Amino acid sequence: MQVVRDTANVTSALRGAVLAIGNFDGVHRGHQALLAEVRRRAAGMGAPSGVIVFEPHPRELFQPSEPHFHLTPLPLKLDCFGEMGLDLAVVLKFDREMAARSAQSFIEDLIVGHLAPRHLVIGYDFFFGKGRAGTPETMRAEGERLGFGVTVVSPVAEDGEVFSSTAIRLKLAQGDMQGATAALGRLWRVRGTVAGGFKRGTGLGFPTANVPLEPGTALAHGIYAVWAELDGIRHAAAAYLGTRPTFDDGSPMLEVFLLDFSGDLYGRELTVAFVDHIRADRRFDTIEALKAQMQADCDAARRILAAASTRSTCGA
C-alpha cells in the first residue's frame, strides 16, 4: 500500500481510484464494511482502492486541552488499511486552513482537483467542510455535477447496537475487552517503544516492559491477559495498567510481563493486543501478598490465552 501525505504527490497511476473518506478511528466493523465496499467497487471498475484520512483528529484541533483517546493511532490505522488490501492511503493534515474550507472547495479543489476519484464511499454520518456544512446529500449532488459516483453506507449494527468508536471507547474504559473485540472485529492493540522504569517488577520476580501510552488513553486500570508481539513473534503475556497503589500511586503506566521470555526489551518496539480483563487494580498490605497475586494473575493469563483466539489483524 502506498501512503501519501500530500495530495500533490499522488501519481497518475493512483488517480481515478475508488476512495473512502473519514477518520476511521478504530477501523471497527462498521469501518470495515465501508472499506470492503471500496474494494468491491474498485475491483469491478479495475481501479485502485484507497482511503482518505485526517490527521490529527479534528477534536484535537478544536479542543486541544482535552486529550483525545485514539483507538488506533495513525501507524496502527495504516497497518489495518494495508491488511485489508487497499492500494492507497492519503493522509490529509487537518489544520485551521483545512477546517476553513467550504464543503464545495473541499470536494472540488482538494478531492477532485488532486485525486480525480472515479467513486467515493462515505458513511451515513460523514459531514465535512466549514461548520460541517457538507452532508452525504451534498456529496451526492457534487458527484453528479463533477462526474464521480458516490455510495453512502448505512449504519452497521449487531444485536441492535451500531458499531461506533465512541461505544468502543466506553467498553475499553469499563474493561470490557470481549465487547470491544466483538465491535472491532479483532483484538484492540497498542504499540510503543519499551522505556526504562523503577525495576520493581524485576525485584519481585516479574520483570516487566514499560510501554508508554498515548495521552488520553482511557483503558480501565487492572490486570489483562495479552499477546505481546516482538519482532514479528507473538508471546503470551500479562499486562498491568495502573498507578501502583502498593508503592507510590504515581502516573498510570502500562507494564507487560512476557510469560516465557528472557532478554533485554529496553528500546525495542512492542505491540500489545488485549484479550481479556482479569481483575481491577488494588493495593496490597504486604509485598508477599502482592507477589502471590501476581503469580495467580500470570496463571489466569495463561489459561485465558490458551483458550483465546490469537487474531489481532483487521477484518476484510
Side-chain angles (χ1 to χ4, degrees), residues 123-239:
Y124 69 99
D125 56 352
F126 179 67
F127 298 91
F128 59 97
K130 184 177 181 179
R132 291 166 54 87
T135 66
E137 291 71 28
T138 306
M139 189 69 81
R140 281 198 178 104
E142 289 299 292
E144 291 181 5
R145 182 174 74 88
L146 297 171
F148 60 86
V150 176
T151 297
V152 179
V153 176
S154 300
V156 180
E158 185 173 77
D159 298 329
E161 182 179 5
V162 174
F163 298 121
S164 76
S165 303
T166 299
I168 294 168
R169 290 188 192 97
L170 180 59
K171 293 179 190 299
L172 293 174
Q174 296 171 337
D176 180 8
M177 304 314 300
Q178 294 182 19
T181 298
L184 287 165
R186 67 184 189 286
L187 301 176
W188 181 68
R189 49 188 168 165
V190 300
R191 179 181 296 157
T193 300
V194 176
F198 295 106
K199 299 189 176 181
R200 290 196 183 105
T202 300
L204 295 170
F206 299 88
T208 58
N210 298 324
V211 181
L213 296 178
E214 286 209 345
T217 302
L219 177 67
H221 288 187
I223 305 294
Y224 293 85
V226 303
W227 297 108
E229 186 175 304
L230 179 70
D231 297 333
I233 299 174
R234 180 175 288 154
H235 302 267

Side-chain angles (χ1 to χ4, degrees), residues 222-281:
I223 305 294
Y224 293 85
V226 303
W227 297 108
E229 186 175 304
L230 179 70
D231 297 333
I233 299 174
R234 180 175 288 154
H235 302 267
Y240 166 76
L241 176 65
T243 60
R244 303 163 304 283
T246 303
F247 295 102
D248 59 5
D249 252 342
S251 299
M253 174 93 58
L254 179 64
E255 304 178 30
V256 185
F257 174 56
L258 280 62
L259 298 177
D260 298 302
F261 177 86
S262 61
D264 188 1
L265 293 173
Y266 292 121
R268 300 174 72 178
E269 187 175 76
L270 200 65
T271 300
V272 183
F274 289 74
V275 177
D276 209 352
H277 186 245
I278 296 174
R279 66 169 176 87
D281 194 10

Side-chain angles (χ1 to χ4, degrees), residues 75-93:
L76 289 174
K77 194 180 297 185
L78 294 175
D79 283 354
C80 281
F81 296 151
E83 289 163 7
M84 293 190 68
L86 299 180
D87 301 305
L88 170 68
V90 180
V91 181
L92 297 181
K93 182 180 180 182

